[in-house]
């Protein structure tokens, strides 16, 4: 499994660190990283590149992201990502994604239509235990089975979060 | 426990990323990071600062480093580190530290005497199972018990290595 999350950033940062944790048999097998533009459009492409060129590519059976956006509103096209890699992708959050609030925030961008289309294509979030997930390339039953093996956020996503904030801020902060 | 390792670097890099993994009950509880000068003298001071200001400081009972040098020949004064923090420090390597070769390498530096003194102060490496360790603030029996709970390199040190190389190179490489 590959767990993915972004790192803390400020309005001054143009590029934001994204961390991937390769997880096998309850151990960290490797760490991947890339940079994406804050509020940009390159996240899908950057993740594709990061994963395709990795020696771990062939062993990754599932990609689990923290939500479906990185670095602000750099929205990941999880369908495209899943199809291009032939790997299921799920975006997991603890809080229910608030579609209306996201739409309103997106309207601050000149190119909001493109962003709304992207976010809509990731589908509605379904509730699984105490988390919410958006899915691509995988069915609800399989996701339910997978998520039930973790208490809340899957461990490699939690680790990607801790690593990103520990590297960028000098010490990890916050829970996801 | 805090596991520490540095990251890959080249002759062009002046600063080298150092990663600390806070490990409790077989889980990553946090990640710390700092930067030290390649072949510099600031590693002891930077580690002291990184740990002292951390919210994890009070819970760290043991510091385990990959060897006693970071970023080339930026030698950590493990005695000073241990005394200043009141935490035992051990430097673990898989291969036996080759004192004579290190000394010869150090002689390329104008300030080699200071470096030799530093490296000498870390004491001789003792063999524990299939690793070697230099100790400060802890006895041989306690180190033996601790190291016997891991197969080779303690897990948080392995993780610090994987994180450092994954962040700096985009994908983790190599074993320690």
């Amino acid at each position: 499994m590959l767990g993915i999350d972004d790192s803390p950033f400020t309005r001054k940062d143009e590029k934001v660190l994204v961390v991937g944790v390769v997880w096998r048999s309850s151990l960290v097998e490797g760490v991947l990283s890339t940079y994406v533009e804050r509020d940009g459009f390159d996240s899908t492409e950057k993740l594709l590149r990061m994963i395709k060129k990795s020696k771990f590519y062939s062993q990754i059976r599932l990609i689990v992201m923290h939500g479906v956006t990185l670095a602000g509103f750099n929205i990941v096209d999880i369908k495209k990502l899943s199809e291009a890699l032939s790997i299921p992708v799920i975006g997991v959050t603890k809080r229910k994604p608030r579609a209306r609030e996201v739409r309103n925030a997106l309207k601050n961008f000149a190119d909001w239509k493109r962003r709304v289309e992207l976010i809509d294509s990731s589908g509605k979030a379904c509730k699984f235990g105490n988390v919410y997930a958006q899915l691509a390339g995988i069915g609800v039953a399989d996701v339910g089975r997978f998520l039930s093996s973790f208490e809340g956020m899957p461990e490699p996503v939690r680790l990607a979060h801790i690593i990103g904030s520990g590297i960028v801020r000098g010490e990890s902060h916050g829970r996801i």
Side-chain angles (χ1 to χ4, degrees), chain A residues 135-146:
Chain A
L135 338 170
I138 185 170
V140 167
D142 285 339
V143 172
R145 256 192 302 277
F146 165 73

Side-chain angles (χ1 to χ4, degrees), chain A residues 6-171:
Chain A
D6 60 7
S7 309
F9 60 92
T10 69
R11 281 274 136 203
K12 277 189 255 166
D13 299 317
E14 291 183 6
K15 299 279 184 180
V16 177
L17 174 67
V18 173
V19 178
V21 171
V22 181
W23 183 253
R24 181 151 74 165
S25 310
S26 299
L27 273 181
V28 175
E29 182 138 330
V31 168
L32 308 179
S33 65
T34 187
Y35 286 84
V36 303
E37 286 172 25
R38 173 171 55 77
D39 292 331
F41 280 101
D42 61 346
S43 60
T44 310
E45 198 49 44
K46 289 291 182 63
L47 291 183
L48 269 173
R49 217 181 297 167
M50 176 182 88
I51 297 163
K52 273 192 169 167
K53 73 173 187 197
S54 165
K55 64 183 167 189
F56 301 108
Y57 179 22
S58 65
Q59 79 176 60
I60 299 168
R61 302 269 174 269
L62 177 65
I63 295 167
V64 188
M65 298 182 43
H66 183 217
V68 298
T69 60
L70 295 170
F73 287 104
N74 199 328
I75 304 158
V76 178
D77 187 336
I78 59 171
K79 267 194 186 160
K80 187 176 165 188
L81 185 64
S82 171
E83 280 165 15
L85 296 170
S86 300
I87 303 174
V89 178
I90 64 179
V92 180
T93 50
K94 276 205 174 155
R95 286 202 292 182
K96 187 172 180 174
R98 281 167 291 194
R100 196 185 297 166
E101 283 175 38
V102 170
R103 265 163 187 278
N104 285 338
L106 287 179
K107 287 196 175 149
N108 293 318
F109 293 93
D111 49 14
W112 63 275
K113 281 193 179 163
R114 190 176 159 200
R115 293 179 195 262
V116 168
E117 272 175 33
L118 257 175
I119 207 110
D120 282 351
S121 79
S122 60
K124 258 195 120 173
C126 305
K127 192 163 198 270
F128 297 92
N130 51 4
V131 296
Y132 294 83
Q134 288 164 278
L135 338 170
I138 185 170
V140 167
D142 285 339
V143 172
R145 256 192 302 277
F146 165 73
L147 287 173
S148 69
S149 64
F150 295 94
E151 267 185 64
M153 191 60 66
E155 181 64 7
V157 184
R158 189 187 74 86
L159 288 175
H161 173 81
I162 289 177
I163 294 169
S165 66
I167 296 297
V168 168
R169 297 171 67 171
E171 167 155 306

